[in-house]
Amino acid sequence: MPVATENLSQILYRDMLLIRRTEEKILELFSAGKVGGTTHTCIGQEANAVALVGQLDRQRDFVVSNHRCHGHYLAYGGPLDGLLGEILGTANGVCGGRGGSQHIKYDRFQSNGVLGGGIPIACGMAMGEKLKGGDGITVVSIGDGALGEGTLYESLNMAALWDLPILFLVENNRYAQSTPLHLGVAGSIVDRARPFGIRADEIDTTDVEELLVWSSRAIEAVRLERKPHWAVMHTYRFSAHSKGDDTRDEDEVRAYQEKDPLRIQSARLNAEQLDEAEAWVRDVLGRALAACDAAGEAMKL
Amino acid sequence: MPVATENLSQILYRDMLLIRRTEEKILELFSAGKVGGTTHTCIGQEANAVALVGQLDRQRDFVVSNHRCHGHYLAYGGPLDGLLGEILGTANGVCGGRGGSQHIKYDRFQSNGVLGGGIPIACGMAMGEKLKGGDGITVVSIGDGALGEGTLYESLNMAALWDLPILFLVENNRYAQSTPLHLGVAGSIVDRARPFGIRADEIDTTDVEELLVWSSRAIEAVRLERKPHWAVMHTYRFSAHSKGDDTRDEDEVRAYQEKDPLRIQSARLNAEQLDEAEAWVRDVLGRALAACDAAGEAMKL
Amino acid sequence: MRVLEQLNQSLHAVMAERSDVLFIGEDVLDPYGGAFKVSKGLSTAFPDQVITTPISEASIVGLGTGLALQGYRPVVEIMFGDFITLIADQLVNQAAKMTWMYNRDLAVPIVVRTPMGGRRGYGPTHSQTLEKHFLGVPGLTVLAASQALDAGALLRIAIEEIDTPVLFVENKLLYARQAIEPGELDMRKSDAQVPTLTIGGGRPDFSIITYGDNLSLVLEAVAYLHEEEELNGEILMVHQVSPIDFEPLRVSVMTTRRVVVVEEGIEAHGWGAEVIAGLSDISLEAPPERVGARSLPIPAARGLEEQVLPQKQDVIDAVIRTVDRYHV
Amino acid sequence: MRVLEQLNQSLHAVMAERSDVLFIGEDVLDPYGGAFKVSKGLSTAFPDQVITTPISEASIVGLGTGLALQGYRPVVEIMFGDFITLIADQLVNQAAKMTWMYNRDLAVPIVVRTPMGGRRGYGPTHSQTLEKHFLGVPGLTVLAASQALDAGALLRIAIEEIDTPVLFVENKLLYARQAIEPGELDMRKSDAQVPTLTIGGGRPDFSIITYGDNLSLVLEAVAYLHEEEELNGEILMVHQVSPIDFEPLRVSVMTTRRVVVVEEGIEAHGWGAEVIAGLSDISLEAPPERVGARSLPIPAARGLEEQVLPQKQDVIDAVIRTVDRYHV
Ligand SMILES: Cc1ncc(C[n+]2csc(CCOP(=O)(O)OP(=O)(O)O)c2C)c(N)n1
Ligand SMILES: Cc1ncc(C[n+]2csc(CCOP(=O)(O)OP(=O)(O)O)c2C)c(N)n1
Ligand SMILES: [Mg+2]
Ligand SMILES: [Mg+2]
């Protein structure tokens, strides 16, 4: 647990580190054959999750995530053992092992593996909140690849027509599976929402502290003005799309790794703080895995 | 048949008049219970069809139209008796009575009643033409209401990515069925294509001669540059959405009728020319109806 | 009262009672009141509960799902049943899966209403009976209104009582038909949440299983067979099209041992296939019969449309085959 | 050779022969070569014939339809069969209708290929067997590859010979399976354009009708029943899932009078219902049996997935019921 003396930089680092180590562990478990199916890790993109989703208020805000959802889930505050259990197919999985890596629901957070499918649902959730007069917002996360799905534009139109309090979090990691941006996305990403009359903004950084300030403005805009917002984060993933299916140029990946959000953030911490974070994460992760072991295979239909 | 001495203004008027009188006849036949189903007439929008579709080259250009397709069909050069037969369900219908008012194919022209459905198909036709190295273009027509369908944006993305020779003809008649523009379409119509990197242009006139010049530029841009173009025509329909289901403000309709494209064009003609046009249309329409009578009810499956 | 009024009045009543019921669809505002007028008056009476939408079928169903997750009970209208192809992903991969997939006590009480069917000359993309493609989807309930059971009451069950997504099918021709008054026909009601009706008295010679507006032509066929052939028919009017409650069907067929299934959708891989398969452990006097549309798009011209869609005579012929034909 | 190589090599061959065959899909370029590697090498060998697309399932099928209208023979890959919900409108209301609706001699030779099925732990939206929702669509042909018939040859028929749109179903597990060599099994081929295989010699006691990768568990079940119960099974391997060619099925069932239909999709309203209904004029010794998935989404965890999808034991039990059970 965070200790009282921890400062914001430490907390951000620790939260990103937890995501990083969890994703690494998941890939390791996959390689060891301990998990079936598929999974999509967000290594390299942790700062987005922590900066934006991490700032939401779990008591009132909603998140609709996609296939690459682990980081969003953890930043939202979803229990780690529930996530690992879900992926391992143990009985403590947050959805009892039914959903698996891509289909998770916890409190006001949910994800689904069909690209584009969650976007209009997020609009409905935002509209529900609006009708109730609540001040919660809904965040729906999509990648650059999901810009190909028509439901996105149908939803932008609805969100604008009805002033829905929804934040479109667009994580442009420059690839959709194996497809580089220029083969899948014509023109501009940030402009895609503008013709609908939706405010749009973009940021190209992996510095979690910069992202935090930028995200906080985006969140507050939606929360206070009760209008949609299109927030594009240019980013990069270091891990493969799912498991080992990486065809990107190694030099390119290496170049982006220079901007590893953890590296950037670690520069703000001293050695002791870094060790402390590692130790904390190791402990939390260890306990979560133990909980999965103890729970045993999910067998209850 | 057009007489040798006819000038362009006359031809444009006559072509629009043919559409107008045909649509009026169709509505009359409906009211008389001679036709089942539904139909969507384009009274008030004739100038768009004549100016844009009428300029296409039937030997090489393709048209994918929608539910409001009669004017496009006639401007393209589809046979009148085939259209009337199709709507009346007589054996001479251009599709043997199977398609009816909304589902027509003739040569390189086709229409379908599911909004948005034809747009990606038009992209495929444009791509086929491109692959063959032909210089035909594909025109796909949509209304303001169809801006709600996601396939449109999926198609804009494809058209831009692959430089497809396709012209998006957007007829904004300010209503989708009973729904006024502001309840269905957020933001800007002309801008909707721009984030994809597609050139877009708009025109707000019912003067067929102005539209002709503007359309010819749009067509030539696609034909020569082999790139998509988004062409928005602001217009108005005088008839009901389909048959008698009109809930628009009468004053509003009347105000727009001031700008009746036929009235505007008739000012360029003398009384004799006007009479000539009426006579010609009466004759052509009479013969087409007679052909339907002679063909008898479509009974062959 | 016509079925249209039953539906409309029921919506008025339930929306007056409950502010959590929302009506969503294209062109649903007054004075237009929806393409088939089911929503007439709603936007005037309940302006805050009616949402007219852009033409975005997939997304308005998604919108409804999100609202359902927020505790509302949305009723989404798809203007023509032919367009449910556009909402397949939202129903099958989203709304219907949520409760079970997330392992949550999560109601997703969205009702998607849509007019289906032909016989009005609307042509190939406005006349189909496509619900057959949405049967047997886990977590999705498919209901169909009829003249025989108060359609407004059925809609209310869908809105208020069923916590899964519901696809609620209304046949276009049904709107203008008079509801059958209690007592007008001899009928018994099963006691399932969504009842099946068993229509017809006396000792039946054959069973006809059907749903929706097919009842009208089935009634005519049964009357004809009674008068001309002295055959007594029992009609099983199903209202929950999927999943099927086989109990009342079995009771009838075990008595008659002759069965005809009638549907307006294309016969091949249709609803009738499941009915017959589900009854296939019953030993019948004659092979079961199916009456449905031919495997063709629905043509616009009247004379053609008639040739594709099932007619009264097809039902009569099928029943007679169950009397004359034997298993091979 | 594995089924994956059969498909891939066939595509290489047909694309080398014909420049009108185009391969369209998401992530289909080398070196990636498609999510399941069916397109491996194609973009290198035929750069002008391979189009990698944005993630726009509906529109890439529309694109293919437009290309088909232009005289091309496009093969469109949908990355997971679960996403065919997104292309329902393009297939049902557009591609499949055109020829007949326009009353034209108009070929729409688009092939939509997609990997279906579970047993790999992919979870609720990446494991389904959804082709059942696309059966009985006029103008649409649904084929399924198997180990028993050269899958590459079947795909070539779809591409070159069938002029209607084809939904071509490939089971994910099938890719890695070895194709059954001619002579390896005792089998006869029907002489339809898309053949049904009748597998098994001797005097059969029961018929199993199935398609796709179900063959692997059916073969195991049949072997078990032969060894342990001395029951002889005949397997009908269907490759044209819709419309069904009933002839070879009838021949077998008229002999055995015991039939089990096996499919991986959800049993209710599934393919098996049509098979049983289509054979329902044949007098059987015992009620026909269906084996399919339970009416639940497909869970991710292995132990759970097994409980939902049909297993070998389910087939064995069903066959035994046809021996032990009687009509009511
Ligand atoms: C409708 C649909 N089509 C295809 C897929 C397969 N798929 C899963 S992730 C993915 C790429 C998504 O790219 P992007 O949106 O950029 O997100 P990223 O993976 O880069 O985070 C694809 C094609 C899917 N899950 N859903
Ligand atoms: C997918 C789909 N949804 C709904 C309809 C019913 N419908 C037919 S025309 C129409 C309005 C279309 O408006 P617009 O695109 O502006 O064209 P206009 O009728 O004004 O020419 C609607 C809702 C349809 N045909 N297809
Ligand atoms: Mg991406
Ligand atoms: Mg309009």
Side-chain angles (χ1 to χ4, degrees), chain A residues 144-145 173 175-176:
Chain A
D144 47 291
N173 61 9
Y175 286 86

Side-chain angles (χ1 to χ4, degrees), chain D residues 34 316 326:
Chain D
I316 294 171
Y326 301 93

Side-chain angles (χ1 to χ4, degrees), chain A residues 59-293:
Chain A
Q59 306 307 314
R60 50 179 176 164
D61 296 331
F62 299 82
V63 180
V64 176
S65 182
N66 55 5
H67 60 293
R68 205 173 298 288
C69 60
H70 309 162
H72 302 148
Y73 167 92
L74 291 174
Y76 171 80
L80 178 61
D81 59 334
L83 174 67
L84 288 170
E86 194 57 34
I87 292 170
L88 282 161
T90 51
N92 63 331
V94 64
C95 298
R98 293 177 177 182
S101 168
Q102 306 187 72
H103 315 94
I104 288 180
K105 184 163 182 88
Y106 172 72
D107 213 348
R108 292 175 172 77
F109 176 100
Q110 67 185 50
S111 73
N112 183 294
V114 184
L115 295 172
I119 310 174
I121 296 172
C123 287
M125 289 161 69
M127 178 177 264
E129 185 68 9
K130 180 181 165 147
L131 290 174
K132 289 183 202 164
D135 59 0
I137 75 166
T138 299
V139 171
V140 57
S141 76
I142 60 173
D144 47 291
L147 295 170
E149 293 291 351
T151 47
L152 171 60
Y153 307 90
E154 300 185 355
S155 296
L156 287 170
N157 193 39
M158 298 194 304
L161 276 174
W162 303 323
D163 282 339
L164 301 182
I166 183 168
L167 194 159
F168 296 88
L169 162 59
V170 186
E171 288 183 84
N172 168 28
N173 61 9
R174 276 119 173 151
Y175 286 86
Q177 201 143 332
S178 74
T179 303
L181 200 59
H182 72 276
L183 292 181
V185 181
S188 154
I189 295 179
V190 68
D191 284 349
R192 290 268 173 116
R194 289 189 169 133
F196 299 90
I198 293 178
R199 273 169 325 192
D201 199 4
E202 62 187 322
I203 188 168
D204 191 355
T205 182
T206 45
D207 181 341
V208 68
E209 303 205 355
E210 269 184 67
L211 283 165
L212 191 79
V213 175
W214 186 85
S215 299
S216 117
R217 268 195 235 112
I219 291 169
E220 286 315 301
V222 178
R223 191 176 316 284
L224 300 177
E225 293 174 33
R226 316 306 293 160
K227 279 189 176 169
H229 186 85
W230 178 254
V232 181
M233 292 178 172
H234 300 289
T235 181
Y236 201 81
R237 79 174 138 72
F238 303 153
S239 46
H241 168 69
S242 48
K243 312 153 300 176
D245 49 352
D246 206 346
T247 53
R248 294 171 304 175
D249 181 66
E250 281 175 32
D251 287 343
E252 180 188 295
V253 180
R254 222 172 291 120
Y256 276 106
Q257 275 170 338
E258 298 293 312
K259 302 194 223 156
D260 184 337
L262 281 167
R263 183 190 295 197
I264 294 174
Q265 191 61 3
S266 70
R268 297 192 176 111
L269 270 54
N270 61 36
E272 194 189 335
Q273 289 169 324
L274 291 173
D275 286 347
E276 226 173 78
E278 283 289 357
W280 180 81
V281 165
R282 200 177 314 118
D283 175 55
V284 170
L285 202 48
R287 276 189 285 125
L289 287 165
C292 296
D293 272 347

Side-chain angles (χ1 to χ4, degrees), chain D residues 47-89:
Chain D
D48 298 339
Q49 286 164 258
V50 179
I51 303 161
T52 199
T53 73
I55 307 171
S56 310
E57 286 77 9
S59 291
I60 65 176
V61 171
L63 184 88
T65 302
L67 284 161
L69 291 171
Q70 287 280 28
Y72 289 90
R73 302 194 85 92
V75 180
V76 178
E77 173 169 300
I78 299 296
M79 193 187 285
F80 282 83
D82 305 70
F83 311 147
I84 62 171
T85 46
L86 292 163
I87 66 170
D89 190 65

Side-chain angles (χ1 to χ4, degrees), chain D residues 17 27 35 63 74 81 104 133 151 157 173 182 282:
Chain D
E17 283 165 37
D27 297 291
L63 184 88
R104 282 282 180 298
H133 299 297
I157 293 172
L173 288 194
I282 301 176

